[in-house]
Amino acid sequence: MKSFTYERAQDIRQAVTSVAARPDARFISGGTNLLDLMKLEIEQPKHLVDISRLPLDQIDETPDGGLRVGAQVRNSDLAVDRRVRSRYPLLSQALLAGASGQLRNKATTGGNLLQRTRCYYFYDRNMPCNKREPGSGCSALQGFNRMHAVLGGSEACIAVHPSDMAVAMTALDARVETLAPDGRSRAIPIGELHRLPGTTPQVETSLQRGEMITAVILPPPPSGRQIYRKVRDRASYAFALVSVAGIVDAAGGRVRSVRVAMGGVAPKPWRSPEAEGVLTGEAATDRTFTAAAEAALQGALGHDHNAFKIALAKRTLRHTLADAAQG
Amino acid sequence: MTTDTPTTNVIGRPIDRVDGPLKVTGRATYAYEYAEGGKAAYGYILGAAITKGRIVAIDSSEAERSPGVLLVMTHRNAPPQADFGPPVTPAVPEVFTRARPVLAGDRVRYYDEPVAFVVAESFEAARAAAGLVRIRYKREDAPFDLRAGVENAYRPARANAGIPTDTAVGEFESAFAAAPVKLDASLTTPFEHHTPMEPHATLAVWSGDQLTLYTSAQTLANIQAGVANTLRIPPDRVRVVSRFIGGGFGSKLIAHPDAIFASLAARALNRPVKVALTRQQMFANAGHRATMLQRVRLGAGSDGRLAAIAHEVWSATARSEEFAEQTVAFTRSLYAAPNRITRHRLFPIDTHRGEWMRAPGEAPGMLASECAMDELAEKLDLDPIELRIRNEPDQDPERKVPFSTRNLVACMQEGAKRFGWEHRPAKPASRREGRTLIGYGMAAAIRGNYLGPSAARVSIDAKGQVTAQLDMTDIGTGTYTILTQIAAESLGVPMSRVRIELGDSRFPRTAGSGGSWGATSSGWALRNACDALKQKIADAVRASGTGSADDLASTVARIAPNGLSAEGTVTRGSEYQDYSQHGFGAHFAEVGVDCDTGEIRLRRMLGVFAAGRILNAKTARSQMIGGMVWGVGAALMEEGVMDPRFGHFVNHDLAEYHVAVNRDVPNVDAVFLDEHDDKANPFGAKGIGELGICGAAPAVANAVYNATGIRVRQFPITLDKLLPDLPVVSV
Ligand SMILES: Cc1cc2nc3c(=O)[nH]c(=O)nc-3n(C[C@H](O)[C@H](O)[C@H](O)COP(=O)(O)OP(=O)(O)OC[C@H]3O[C@@H](n4cnc5c(N)ncnc54)[C@H](O)[C@@H]3O)c2cc1C
Ligand code: SF4
């Protein structure tokens, strides 16, 4: 039997020390991703540090009018929080578009950010996969890659990051607060949390071993209307083919400010400064939104089964941004 | 409605499931939950990592030393079993009962075929040890390509259930060539998987040379025979118990590796052994519907009357065991036309055998025929219902015998009225609400009615308690409930005095659950048993010379203090030759298609069915809705994706193999027309379960066409197939 030891963390620092001490140790929060991976023997930790009962389940106001979301806040609770719904409606929409009610009741803010890809080949130990077994090859590149990335992938890996929540947080310029084994706390801009695969797809984040996510800081909401639009194969309980988080302030028919992020298209939540650049200061017209969508997908690379995502992302962007601009 | 209701006119009422409380309180015991025979050991199956080839080396020593391991089985030490035999069995029924040996040699015939089996003190220990079995393979080429397959297809000797492979009436080619309006349409359907909620699972317990299997099965006699034949023991040494089943959809009609492995290991270890397939293993090892290409040619006059119909299919089949789904057989009975052909062709690939899945034949076949009728209606500028009415036959168009009952037209007309068919957008892609394109679609439904030889035993004790026993199963359809109703009404006792015992091969043999024949076959046998029991009581009363008392209990108490019992049987009569027997229906669907993303969402759906007398209005409606929901899945999302490089099903779990979830089926209703089929059985009932899916998928597909003007011929219809032709609408 693949046995492992289990420790229920009483204290944040102790938890970090425990995981840092052993290369084969992992944090476990809701377990909705980690346990699945363990059952399939894709992750085989020898020691689990359960951090789900740590006092990190609060959503607090920050002095500047933002929110500090504890890493153990459940996806369900975050989605229905009144402050989130009024100030960050796209975050609430993104959370509710993810997984199922039961899963959201278990899933945590920290765990959601660090959930791993749903690439079919990553999940099947008989299949070559550079992320699971570095150097073994990427089965998806020449295989069935309908769900895979059109932006940001590499010859080594074209897996997408599956989180909806993280896409919304990316549009909101969230910062990820962590505690490192050396006792230092830092705040990582969410765009720097996940890494592109390059030649090392097994390295997925910029966290050190044992570094724990303690909170996500949401700055005060930007002006404008927020929309999270998730496109999927069935009405519920399916990962995004493409998703768009858009925040547009277009008072008076001109785009004053805009945020654009996409999910389902890249190995990480994908912010598009290109689209934002095209839009900012321009008239809020179909032409501008179309141009922004083109800019966002500039350089996108389709594979045998996922090339449709390029057109799909453009169409979804165009309409979502126009919708958000309606104010 | 509960069981404390009256004793007459019980059949047909919307009685709640009698087994419902057990299920919702978790007290219904499923196969893997049994704890009979002492502490069980747990088995784990290791599947092949190649599609085709040979095992050249296998080293299980490390697995054997792994903690908790009791046994490691490979082809080198597997107990002797009967040979598998040829791809096609000599006789049709042997398909169900043939030996299905495991680890029978060094050959690998399909990806994930069992190559080793580990038994340990816990499931986790067995699974971990299985990961330590080292295998070296010699790979062989296993090409998979639908188009190439079609070119090299062969003609099977028979289709499923012995149905003829080909038929021809009149002169199709010349009639088609001469027809003023022609349609020639081809489409493909993907691999589909049964995905019952409960996996295939077995607990095997030996007591001396007697084997008991607690398993999840639709038809106990098949499992009993299949295991007995594999182990080369007499069938009466095998007892099969399957009281509650978490769905089967045709994947639990024959013995699977769980049952064989559990039996072999329990004997070797002299200890109960439990084995379940994992969800992932079910995709390769527990049946599927094969991918196929269909071609439909319709030749009509300008009045819409069909002069020629051709329906052909080319289906994949396992190289090791043939399965020819009867995809085009229903076309022989559906529409009138003097000139017609139907053909089944197969091409072998390296997969596990296909199995009987959710209305084998009609489910994929009607996608082709009913979408083609929709296309033809448009060409003729006729309403799709009107086109079908004009081609309504007055007798079975190929067999030339009368239909026992046929109310397809009434179903279409009633459905049109209830659904508001007159509001259908007259032109495709002509209605938009906000950013949503709206479309309506309809399709006909037909499904053959069958009867399988069945027997039942019923007894009554001096307290008036009635117990009926049959080896029938309730796979979630409501069998316990309708048999309760039938016994109560037949004997004139309240339902609360009736206890139905199913799912034990020691009980009289029935046809089991499959082919929608379970309710009528076992119900009729039970009714005959009840009639025989009443006769026995009457005879005993007469012999005692005392006359009968008011109520049955006191009569029995007086004349037979130890109670009485009787058996009843039923076999197929000449009605099946003299009449063409089918259930009919019409499906109506409204879909919305997002004009930006191409996402297709069902908005509402209605099925109207005429399938003889309905035995329980509530459970029957639930079944039809269930079938329709599967139809939505088949039209829009179900697809087992095979990676031709590896021969494996890539999306082998329920996160990635999509079936319709609640939000996909917001508003689905089913209604039955009053009907009584006096040729079918004494109830006037027909099989219904599968009828719900027949025609459901094409109704949805036709609605997608009506919404978008785009005809997708590669199922399922996913948004990526609409996008290239979906016009950009200004924002
Ligand atoms: C069938 C299914 C469908 C799903 N559909 C969707 C969907 O549509 N959209 C979507 O966004 N998600 C979806 N999910 C994923 C779900 O959102 C994640 O599984 C969940 O958010 C993970 O959270 P958790 O707390 O359970 O993480 P865990 O499983 O506990 O942990 C995940 C990983 O994060 C690490 N970790 C956890 N907490 C911390 C922390 N505080 N600091 C550092 N490391 C940590 C763990 O070590 C582990 O490696 C789906 C999941 C399933 C099973
Ligand atoms: S895309 Fe990435 S995760 Fe998927 S098989 Fe390739 S390397 Fe592995």
Side-chain angles (χ1 to χ4, degrees):
Chain A
M1 184 153 100
K2 301 264 175 351
S3 46
F4 56 86
T5 47
Y6 170 89
E7 166 188 347
R8 181 175 293 173
Q10 310 293 342
D11 170 84
I12 300 173
R13 255 169 215 291
Q14 180 53 42
V16 168
T17 311
S18 282
V19 171
R22 303 179 53 168
D24 52 12
R26 292 274 190 293
F27 297 115
I28 181 164
S29 291
T32 60
N33 189 221
L34 185 58
L35 290 180
D36 277 3
L37 292 167
M38 286 171 66
K39 286 179 192 166
L40 295 169
E41 299 181 348
I42 292 154
E43 296 238 29
Q44 304 189 10
K46 291 270 165 43
H47 185 63
L48 288 185
V49 178
D50 183 349
I51 55 174
S52 64
R53 289 169 180 80
L54 291 179
L56 294 170
D57 56 352
Q58 298 298 312
I59 306 174
D60 299 313
E61 298 279 348
T62 59
D64 60 357
L67 289 178
R68 182 178 184 279
V69 180
Q72 291 303 327
V73 173
R74 309 283 143 175
N75 287 178
S76 307
D77 295 331
L78 187 58
V80 301
D81 185 272
R82 199 168 292 146
R83 294 159 295 179
V84 171
R85 280 174 36 183
S86 66
R87 283 182 238 167
Y88 309 101
L90 94 172
L91 176 57
S92 180
Q93 292 161 18
L95 285 159
L96 294 176
S100 66
Q102 294 94 326
L103 284 159
R104 293 194 296 269
N105 287 344
K106 289 295 284 179
T108 64
T109 307
N112 191 316
L113 285 174
L114 297 181
Q115 62 174 297
R116 306 195 68 189
T117 184
R118 310 300 293 202
C119 171
Y120 327 95
Y121 301 98
F122 173 70
Y123 266 79
D124 190 334
R125 290 212 316 158
N126 284 333
M127 300 294 147
C129 168
N130 286 327
K131 191 187 272 300
R132 188 170 21 77
E133 248 181 87
S136 61
C138 170
S139 296
L141 219 46
Q142 312 295 330
F144 184 61
N145 45 38
R146 185 167 184 272
M147 60 152 54
H148 288 76
V150 292
L151 288 166
S154 71
E155 281 294 301
C157 178
I158 52 169
V160 300
H161 192 268
S163 171
D164 290 297
M165 180 194 82
V167 177
M169 287 178 171
T170 298
L172 291 169
D173 272 341
R175 278 169 293 136
V176 179
E177 187 191 276
T178 66
L179 183 67
D182 63 7
R184 262 186 263 189
S185 174
R186 58 174 177 153
I188 309 168
I190 191 164
E192 290 166 26
L193 176 66
H194 299 100
R195 298 183 24 155
L196 291 179
T199 54
T200 53
Q202 72 280 14
V203 184
E204 296 175 346
T205 71
S206 54
L207 299 181
Q208 309 165 35
R209 179 150 56 79
E211 187 169 359
M212 187 203 289
I213 296 179
T214 48
V216 171
I217 316 284
L218 301 174
S223 62
R225 181 153 180 244
Q226 307 178 5
I227 295 183
Y228 186 77
R229 174 71 166 93
K230 177 175 180 178
V231 182
R232 46 185 153 173
D233 278 323
R234 61 180 169 189
S236 168
Y237 201 48
F239 291 94
L241 294 167
V242 162
S243 70
V244 170
I247 309 175
V248 184
D249 178 354
R254 200 155 280 282
V255 178
R256 297 215 314 240
S257 69
V258 59
R259 305 270 185 88
V260 181
M262 288 184 284
V265 292
K268 59 185 275 189
W270 194 258
R271 185 77 177 258
S272 179
E274 297 84 357
E276 293 171 3
V278 167
L279 284 165
T280 309
E282 296 299 315
T285 63
D286 196 350
R287 257 183 64 196
T288 319
F289 298 126
T290 306
E294 289 296 331
L297 274 297
Q298 192 79 57
L301 181 65
H303 303 275
D304 278 356
H305 309 95
N306 70 349
F308 76 95
K309 282 189 175 184
I310 300 173
L312 179 63
K314 288 181 191 172
R315 296 174 73 121
T316 312
L317 273 167
R318 172 176 159 269
H319 174 245
T320 307
L321 294 172
D323 214 10
Q326 303 283 306
Chain B
M1 201 172 278
T2 65
T3 49
D4 297 326
T5 36
T7 55
T8 53
N9 296 324
V10 183
I11 297 175
R13 286 171 189 260
I15 306 291
D16 292 344
R17 276 162 208 273
V18 296
D19 51 333
L22 280 182
K23 285 186 173 170
V24 298
T25 55
R27 285 176 297 144
T29 307
Y30 290 83
Y32 207 69
E33 301 171 330
Y34 275 93
E36 317 297 305
K39 190 175 176 325
Y42 294 79
Y44 186 87
I45 299 168
L46 179 69
I50 64 166
T51 299
K52 188 178 186 178
R54 276 182 44 240
I55 299 168
V56 289
I58 190 160
D59 176 2
S60 55
S61 52
E62 205 184 331
E64 280 155 26
R65 288 194 304 270
S66 186
V69 168
L70 302 166
L71 172 71
V72 180
M73 219 187 263
T74 69
H75 69 275
R76 291 195 320 222
N77 66 348
Q81 301 155 71
D83 285 340
F84 177 71
V88 185
T89 56
V92 173
E94 291 167 14
V95 169
F96 296 98
T97 57
R98 73 185 307 175
R100 299 187 181 280
V102 292
L103 308 178
D106 62 357
R107 284 220 64 86
V108 174
R109 301 170 302 170
Y110 62 91
Y111 188 89
D112 213 19
E113 177 174 11
V115 289
F117 178 65
V118 181
V119 186
E121 292 292 348
S122 72
F123 172 81
E124 288 76 12
R127 182 180 56 189
L132 301 175
V133 177
R134 309 268 167 255
I135 303 178
R136 234 168 8 95
Y137 299 99
K138 187 170 179 335
R139 245 175 241 268
E140 292 167 23
D141 252 6
F144 168 70
D145 175 8
L146 180 63
R147 298 284 154 185
V150 166
E151 275 159 35
N152 299 307
Y154 71 92
R155 180 182 188 280
R158 61 183 186 237
N160 176 38
I163 291 169
T165 308
D166 294 356
T167 58
V169 175
E171 293 292 335
F172 170 78
E173 296 293 347
S174 55
F176 180 69
V181 184
K182 293 192 198 46
L183 185 88
D184 184 345
S186 297
L187 60 78
T188 60
T189 53
F191 287 102
E192 293 171 358
H193 299 272
H194 299 73
T195 60
M197 197 90 88
E198 184 197 17
H200 296 65
T202 302
L203 167 68
V205 184
W206 286 89
S207 166
D209 61 3
Q210 284 289 332
L211 170 63
T212 303
L213 299 172
Y214 300 88
T215 191
S216 184
Q218 295 179 230
T219 305
L220 304 194
N222 293 347
I223 313 295
Q224 180 188 42
V227 171
N229 288 338
T230 307
L231 271 57
R232 292 187 296 208
I233 57 176
D236 60 12
R237 299 244 189 93
V238 182
R239 177 182 172 210
V240 181
V241 177
S242 194
R243 298 191 180 108
F244 296 101
I245 297 102
F249 309 115
S251 72
K252 293 175 180 172
L253 292 167
I254 55 175
H256 286 90
D258 56 307
I260 309 295
F261 275 122
S263 304
L264 294 174
R267 188 170 60 184
L269 293 169
N270 195 20
R271 178 175 168 185
V273 173
K274 268 184 192 185
V275 184
L277 299 184
T278 65
R279 177 61 64 189
Q280 285 79 4
Q281 289 172 341
M282 287 171 67
F283 283 77
N285 286 291
H288 58 257
R289 193 195 310 278
T291 182
M292 39 183 112
L293 169 78
Q294 296 180 65
R295 181 182 188 195
V296 175
R297 281 173 289 168
L298 302 174
S302 45
D303 60 355
R305 294 180 69 111
L306 290 168
I309 300 178
H311 191 176
E312 299 162 275
V313 64
W314 294 262
S315 170
T317 183
R319 206 178 300 282
S320 53
E321 186 175 6
E322 182 180 287
F323 183 70
E325 181 159 349
Q326 69 272 35
T327 304
V328 306
F330 72 93
T331 293
R332 298 166 188 168
S333 304
L334 188 50
Y335 298 119
N339 306 289
R340 44 205 305 145
I341 53 172
T342 61
R343 282 186 193 137
H344 295 93
R345 296 292 178 270
L346 296 176
F347 57 95
I349 59 168
D350 299 286
T351 52
H352 194 25
R353 64 156 300 139
E355 292 182 30
W356 308 261
M357 179 170 157
R358 301 201 257 284
E362 287 85 346
M366 295 200 88
L367 261 173
S369 76
E370 293 304 284
C371 288
M373 286 296 274
D374 202 61
E375 290 192 58
L376 183 66
E378 192 185 17
K379 276 198 171 191
L380 289 158
D381 201 17
L382 276 180
D383 185 279
I385 295 178
E386 178 58 27
L387 174 64
R388 287 172 174 85
I389 291 174
R390 290 193 191 176
N391 290 290
E392 178 70 4
D394 51 16
Q395 61 173 358
D396 187 293
E398 298 204 4
R399 289 174 55 207
K400 313 280 191 214
V401 296
F403 289 101
S404 58
T405 59
R406 178 176 169 119
N407 284 306
L408 172 58
V409 172
C411 289
M412 292 191 293
Q413 288 172 338
E414 178 67 19
K417 205 159 59 195
R418 288 173 180 252
F419 194 75
W421 182 245
E422 76 271 21
H423 303 304
R424 168 182 185 249
K427 271 183 47 202
S430 64
R431 183 175 303 163
R432 184 153 66 81
E433 286 175 12
R435 311 276 314 164
T436 306
L437 299 161
I438 309 292
Y440 286 24
M442 65 82 56
I446 181 173
R447 174 74 191 169
N449 180 55
Y450 305 99
L451 184 82
S454 294
R457 178 164 56 235
V458 65
S459 57
I460 186 164
D461 67 15
K463 296 201 183 90
Q465 175 68 37
V466 174
T467 305
Q469 296 180 323
L470 307 84
D471 87 342
M472 181 59 189
T473 51
D474 185 335
I475 59 171
T477 47
T479 314
Y480 278 110
T481 314
I482 56 148
L483 294 180
T484 305
Q485 291 170 266
I486 288 171
E489 180 166 315
S490 304
L491 293 171
V493 300
M495 280 180 285
S496 53
R497 307 309 302 274
V498 176
R499 184 185 155 79
I500 303 290
E501 296 183 351
L502 305 178
D504 190 328
S505 62
R506 289 182 173 169
F507 299 156
R509 176 170 300 187
T510 66
S513 299
S516 302
W517 67 5
T520 47
S521 303
S522 56
W524 192 351
L526 176 59
R527 184 179 149 126
N528 287 346
C530 291
D531 285 347
L533 183 63
K534 280 196 291 192
Q535 189 59 49
K536 267 196 182 170
I537 296 170
D539 290 348
V541 168
R542 207 174 311 114
S544 71
T546 54
S548 60
D550 291 349
D551 79 298
L552 203 59
S554 32
T555 306
V556 173
R558 188 156 44 73
I559 55 157
N562 294 326
L564 283 170
S565 80
E567 295 218 3
T569 60
V570 60
T571 51
R572 205 184 263 205
S574 66
E575 292 80 5
Y576 281 86
Q577 273 69 57
D578 303 342
Y579 295 91
S580 185
Q581 294 193 13
H582 306 267
F584 290 91
H587 294 272
F588 295 82
E590 177 183 334
V591 302
V593 178
D594 188 292
C595 74
D596 295 300
T597 64
E599 284 165 294
I600 306 161
R601 299 289 181 256
L602 182 79
R603 289 156 67 100
R604 62 195 179 103
M605 192 164 180
L606 170 71
V608 177
F609 303 99
R613 182 168 167 214
I614 298 310
L615 300 171
N616 178 323
K618 185 174 185 181
T619 56
R621 176 173 175 272
S622 298
Q623 277 207 70
M624 303 321 274
I625 289 175
M628 292 164 72
V629 168
W630 283 122
V632 175
L636 301 180
M637 55 193 90
E638 279 193 62
E639 177 174 18
V641 177
M642 176 174 286
D643 185 330
R645 299 169 306 167
F646 302 106
H648 79 307
F649 292 111
V650 180
N651 52 340
H652 55 190
D653 62 34
L654 291 180
E656 302 304 338
Y657 182 86
H658 285 176
V659 301
V661 298
N662 270 323
R663 253 175 106 176
D664 293 306
V665 287
N667 180 355
V668 179
D669 197 10
V671 295
F672 293 100
L673 300 185
D674 270 343
E675 198 186 83
H676 186 98
D677 187 340
D678 62 358
K679 310 298 183 300
N681 49 57
F683 311 110
K686 287 188 209 183
I688 56 162
E690 291 161 309
L691 183 59
I693 190 177
C694 302
V700 175
N702 291 336
V704 173
Y705 174 75
N706 184 243
T708 61
I710 304 166
R711 183 66 73 176
V712 175
R713 297 177 200 280
Q714 255 183 305
F715 284 84
I717 309 177
T718 46
L719 62 84
D720 46 311
K721 297 171 190 167
L722 291 181
L723 274 185
D725 299 312
L726 203 61
V728 174
V729 179
S730 65
V731 291

